């Protein structure tokens, strides 16, 4: 008989499912949630300071259209490129590196004094911002059991919307007292501090490490997750998924995933056209409608507040009713709400109601689409799947502010502007119906659960 001791086999998913570690989970949710909160704050900062920049620099409103789109184009490239990188090197290094990167970019923004310089710097900032959402959601999802994955991914993604809403309140307080540049000082300093906290406390995905053959690092993080585990030199960690060495983007179209991948991209594209049109132009349009700068900012904040509440409640509904039913109802209601904004623009109470409803469904619906991608794809493709869904969608986020700026330049009425904005949301609702058809013939367990 051999004197070699038998290997101690540990199933990673079973440990995650059976070990109650509320402090560890709370720390992970806090770090990723704060990262997304600052991401949302910084991504929407330009929309909140736009009226002040226009007044100080004496430029036309339409001059800021390229500024909005430059940031979004950077986020698009960041989501596409760095999400794939994260499926090669890990979620942890990409999240930490991106947080430091966009922090320094935000701190540099107050020093610019021209539109071309602002366009350049917002593009650079967007590169760091773009990869935060897919990697934070992937990391939280991979430390969750399937029963709680959607709820936790929706919860952490709420940080982005909360940050965007918080940005409105912070901007409304900072701009009158200290000027618009103070918004970027705050937006850069906070993630700089957060980055140092992430260096010491943010874990790496256990499933990712095992699938990549980095068992020693996986064992080290697993020991931190559950110090009671009998981990030694003979311990062998296993996961239920198989290793995938193919090109991550190509894998999104294999094993029957192609139709759902394309539909996810199209839904994200349509929804983000409207989301970023509303986020960037709503305060400015309301200012032109006769409201004070403070009230115009509050209208934009109500949009994001609706998104926060929508994100929290939609996750609860999805767990009970499935993605397809909830998303269809969400986008159908959004079509009516967005299309009504212009008609009630002169009635502040009703304006706040329909803007809140639009935020609930459009802003709150986007994390649901992201969670759907995270739920659908396996570990080896999760960051790429979420990142490419967001990245392709952000083509729409670039188009939305640009087209909005052009329609405003053509002197479209408020009613016509928001009727046009409702069309992509209607397309999202119809695409959810197509998604239901694509998932009616189950190919994999995760796909069968979407309805």
């Amino acid at each position: 008989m051999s004197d070699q001791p038998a290997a101690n086999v540990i199933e990673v998913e079973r440990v995650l499912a059976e070990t109650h570690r509320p402090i560890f989970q709370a720390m992970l949710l806090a770090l990723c949630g704060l990262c997304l909160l600052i991401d949302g704050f910084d991504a929407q900062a330009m929309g909140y300071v736009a009226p002040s920049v226009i007044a100080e620099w004496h430029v036309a409103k339409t001059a800021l259209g390229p500024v909005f789109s430059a940031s979004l184009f950077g986020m698009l490239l960041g989501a596409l490129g760095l999400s794939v990188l994260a499926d090669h090197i890990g979620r942890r290094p990409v999240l930490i590196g991106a947080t430091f990167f966009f922090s320094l970019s935000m701190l540099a923004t107050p020093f610019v004094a021209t539109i071309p310089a602002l366009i350049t710097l917002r593009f650079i900032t967007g590169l760091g911002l773009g990869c935060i959402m897919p990697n934070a959601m992937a990391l939280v999802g991979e430390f969750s059991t399937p029963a709680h994955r959607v709820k936790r991914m929706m919860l952490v993604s709420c940080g982005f919307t909360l940050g965007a809403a918080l940005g409105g309140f912070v901007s409304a307080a900072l701009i009158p007292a200290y000027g618009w540049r103070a918004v970027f000082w705050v937006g850069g300093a906070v993630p700089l501090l957060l980055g140092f906290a992430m260096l010491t406390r943010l874990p790496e995905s256990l499933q990712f490490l095992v699938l990549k053959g980095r068992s020693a690092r996986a064992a080290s993080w697993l020991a931190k997750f559950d110090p009671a585990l009998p981990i030694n030199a003979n311990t062998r960690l296993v996961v239920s998924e198989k290793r995938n060495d193919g090109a991550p983007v190509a894998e999104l179209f294999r094993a029957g995933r192609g139709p759902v991948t394309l539909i996810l991209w199209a839904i994200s594209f349509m929804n983000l056209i409207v989301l970023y049109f509303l986020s960037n132009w709503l305060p400015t349009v309301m200012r032109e409608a006769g409201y004070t700068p403070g009230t115009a900012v509050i209208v934009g904040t109500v949009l994001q507040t609706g998104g926060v509440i929508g994100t929290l409640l939609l996750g609860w509904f999805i767990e009970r009713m499935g993605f397809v039913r909830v998303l269809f109802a969400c986008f159908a209601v959004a079509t009516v709400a967005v299309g009504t904004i212009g008609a009630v623009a002169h009635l502040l109470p009703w304006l706040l109601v329909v803007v809140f409803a639009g935020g609930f469904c459009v802003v709150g619906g986007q994390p649901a689409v992201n969670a759907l991608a995270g739920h659908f794809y396996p570990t080896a493709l999760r960051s790429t799947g979420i990142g490419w869904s967001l990245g392709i969608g952000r083509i729409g986020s670039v188009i939305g502010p640009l087209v909005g700026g052009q329609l405003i330049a053509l002197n479209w009425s408020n009613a016509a502007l928001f009727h046009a904005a409702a069309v992509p949301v209607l397309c999202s609702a119809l695409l959810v119906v197509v998604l239901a058809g694509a998932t009616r013939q189950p190919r994999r367990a995760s796909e069968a659960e979407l309805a």
Side-chain angles (χ1 to χ4, degrees), residues 26-407:
M27 178 203 67
L28 176 61
L29 285 171
L31 287 175
C32 290
L34 285 171
C35 196
L36 278 168
L37 186 145
I38 300 301
D39 186 20
F41 179 99
D42 289 358
Q44 300 302 323
M46 198 64 233
Y48 290 122
V49 306
S52 298
V53 173
I54 290 169
E56 181 181 316
W57 290 4
H58 305 290
V59 296
K61 298 188 300 292
T62 54
L64 289 189
V67 176
F68 295 144
S69 292
S71 174
L72 299 171
F73 186 58
M75 293 172 73
L76 182 161
L77 296 181
L80 295 180
L82 295 179
S83 60
V84 175
L85 179 65
D87 278 334
H88 283 289
I89 70 172
R91 289 74 165 106
R92 173 184 154 86
V94 171
L95 274 173
I96 293 174
T99 300
F100 281 118
F101 181 82
F102 80 73
S103 169
L104 297 176
S105 299
M106 289 291 288
L107 290 173
T109 303
F111 295 101
V112 304
T114 65
I115 292 293
L118 190 57
I119 290 172
T120 301
L121 202 49
R122 290 304 293 168
F123 170 76
I124 293 171
T125 305
L127 291 173
L129 294 172
C131 70
I132 299 294
M133 176 76 79
N135 286 289
M137 291 187 70
L139 186 57
V140 167
E142 285 153 13
F143 271 95
S144 305
T145 60
H148 299 292
R149 182 171 295 148
V150 172
K151 179 173 63 181
R152 287 180 179 170
M153 286 194 296
M154 290 284 286
L155 179 62
V156 75
S157 69
C158 190
F160 183 91
T161 313
L162 183 61
L166 181 65
F169 292 109
V170 172
S171 299
L174 288 177
I175 293 172
Y178 304 104
W180 64 267
R181 290 172 179 82
V183 175
F184 291 99
W185 288 121
V186 172
V190 175
L192 188 63
L193 298 175
L194 178 61
F196 287 109
M198 293 166 69
L199 275 173
T200 60
R201 305 298 295 175
L202 187 71
E204 181 58 278
S205 164
L206 299 173
Q207 298 96 318
F208 169 84
L209 291 172
V210 173
L211 289 169
K212 291 295 181 180
R214 304 172 194 171
S215 297
R217 285 192 62 200
S220 175
W221 281 112
L222 190 59
K224 294 177 182 178
F225 178 77
D226 185 1
L229 284 173
I231 297 176
N232 53 48
N234 296 305
T235 298
R236 184 166 67 90
L237 304 182
V238 296
V239 294
S240 59
E241 296 178 16
K242 294 181 180 179
R243 179 169 176 170
N244 177 19
D245 294 320
V249 179
E251 290 296 323
L252 299 180
F253 295 90
R254 292 177 181 154
R257 289 185 284 260
V260 174
T261 292
L262 291 174
I263 295 168
L264 283 173
W265 289 4
I267 293 173
S268 196
F269 173 82
M270 291 295 176
N271 195 53
L272 286 175
I273 286 178
V274 182
L275 194 160
Y276 278 90
F277 166 74
L278 294 175
S279 296
N280 285 294
W281 283 115
L282 190 59
T284 301
V285 171
M286 291 302 106
R287 181 73 183 91
E288 291 296 312
Y291 292 107
T292 65
T295 302
V297 168
I298 292 301
V299 172
T301 305
V302 167
L303 177 82
Q304 303 298 340
T305 303
V308 172
I309 296 173
T311 301
L312 294 175
L313 293 182
L314 289 174
W316 186 86
F317 283 122
I318 287 168
E319 283 194 340
R320 288 155 180 78
M321 302 172 64
F323 281 100
V324 168
R325 295 180 184 89
V326 173
L327 283 174
F328 176 76
C330 184
F331 292 133
V333 172
T335 302
V336 177
V338 172
T340 307
I341 291 174
V344 299
H346 60 293
L347 303 170
L348 184 59
W350 284 108
L351 173 65
L352 295 178
V353 168
V354 296
V355 167
F356 178 88
F360 186 101
C361 296
V362 174
V363 182
Q366 187 58 43
V369 177
N370 300 337
L372 171 56
H375 184 68
F376 177 73
Y377 296 110
T379 299
L381 302 175
R382 187 163 291 125
S383 181
T384 299
I386 300 172
W388 272 72
S389 176
L390 263 177
I392 297 299
R394 280 183 170 138
I395 297 173
S397 74
V398 174
I399 292 172
L402 281 176
V403 172
Q406 292 304 311
L407 297 182

Side-chain angles (χ1 to χ4, degrees), residues 14-25 152 225-226:
R14 177 174 293 180
V15 172
L16 293 175
E18 297 178 355
T19 306
H20 187 58
R21 298 285 291 167
I23 295 177
F24 184 96
Q25 293 286 3
R152 287 180 179 170
F225 178 77
D226 185 1

